[in-house]
Amino acid sequence: MPRPEGPLAPPPSLSDADILAAMRQAGGYLDIAPADALALYRLAYAHAAARLARDVPVAAIMTETVTVIDPQADALTAARRMAEAGVSGLPVVDGETVVGVLSVRDLLRHLRLPMDAGVAAVAARLLDPAACLAPTPEADAGRTPVATLMTSPALVIAREASRLEAARRMTERRVNRLPVVDAGRLCGIVSRGDVVRSCRGMGGGCGL
C-alpha cells in the first residue's frame, strides 16, 4: 500500500467516495494493521482535500435574476407568478430583505390539495374553487396574504458560502432552493439543480 507521508492539516469532511477512492488506490487485500489504517486515512484525506479544492462559491452557480413576492401580496398572485416563472417557490421580500419563502407546497397545504399536485392545479383551484372535485376551500382563499402562508424566517445562504455548504443545508433542511444574500440583501437564488449541474463529472458528487 502506498504510504503518503507528511503532517496533516485540520481534517476535511471525508465522504464515502473519498474512502472508496482511497481503497481503490491502496489496492489488494487490506489487513487493517495500525500502519495500514493510517495510510488509508491519509489517502482518503488527500482525496477529500482535492475534492474541496475544486469547490466554488455559491455566487458562481446561482441564478441572479430572482422572481420574488411581497408579503402583502395574495395567494392567487403568488400562484400566478410561480406559473409564469416556471418555479415552485418564491423568496418573500420586504424591500431587499428576505423575510420568508413561499413554496408550492405551502399553497397546496392551504388549499387542501394533494402534495403531488402542481402550480397549475393551485392556480385553477384559486381561480374557480367550485369547479374542483376536491373539498372546496374558502371562497376567498385566493386573497389570503402570502405573509400568513410563507415559511419564516427564511433559510438563506451567503454568496461567498461554498457549493458544498449549500448542498449540505438543502439536504439537512429538505428544501430545494436557497435565497442567496449579500450583506443581508437578496442577490440570487441557488437550487438543487444548480448544484447538481455544476458537479457533473466531479468524483464524489456534491452530496445531493
Side-chain angles (χ1 to χ4, degrees):
M1 175 186 298
R3 297 176 185 275
E5 299 295 341
L8 294 176
S13 297
L14 298 183
S15 68
D16 290 347
D18 295 323
I19 299 296
L20 289 173
M23 293 178 71
R24 284 195 296 270
Q25 184 176 348
Y29 174 76
L30 293 178
D31 57 342
I32 308 299
D36 286 337
L38 178 59
L40 184 62
Y41 173 79
R42 287 179 180 275
L43 289 172
Y45 180 98
H47 283 283
R51 172 170 54 81
L52 292 174
R54 297 195 300 272
D55 202 2
V56 297
V58 165
I61 63 171
M62 70 181 187
T63 299
E64 294 186 6
T65 302
V66 188
T67 302
V68 301
I69 191 77
D70 186 276
Q72 300 311 314
D74 59 37
L76 178 56
T77 300
R80 284 174 166 163
R81 195 161 296 179
M82 286 185 198
E84 291 169 357
V87 298
S88 59
L90 300 170
V92 183
V93 298
D94 185 0
E96 295 181 290
T97 303
V98 182
V99 296
V101 172
L102 181 73
S103 71
V104 68
R105 294 177 66 86
D106 294 323
L107 294 176
L108 292 170
R109 191 176 302 111
H110 173 56
L111 298 172
R112 301 193 295 273
L113 286 171
M115 284 295 122
D116 58 352
V119 176
V122 170
R125 184 64 171 270
L126 290 172
L127 287 168
D128 188 6
C132 297
L133 296 177
T136 304
E138 295 77 9
D140 60 351
R143 293 196 290 273
T144 304
V146 165
T148 67
L149 304 174
M150 68 184 185
T151 300
S152 181
L155 179 64
V156 300
I157 192 163
R159 61 179 290 124
E160 64 270 20
S162 71
R163 173 177 54 192
L164 289 176
E165 174 62 18
R168 185 188 64 78
R169 289 192 193 183
M170 283 189 263
T171 299
E172 290 181 357
R173 300 295 292 273
R174 300 182 179 181
V175 297
N176 294 320
R177 66 195 64 77
L178 296 170
V180 183
V181 296
D182 183 10
R185 297 179 177 179
L186 180 68
C187 64
I189 194 162
V190 63
S191 68
R192 284 177 181 261
D194 294 328
V195 173
V196 170
R197 281 190 293 275
S198 71
C199 291
R200 284 175 182 161
M202 181 176 156
C206 288
L208 287 177

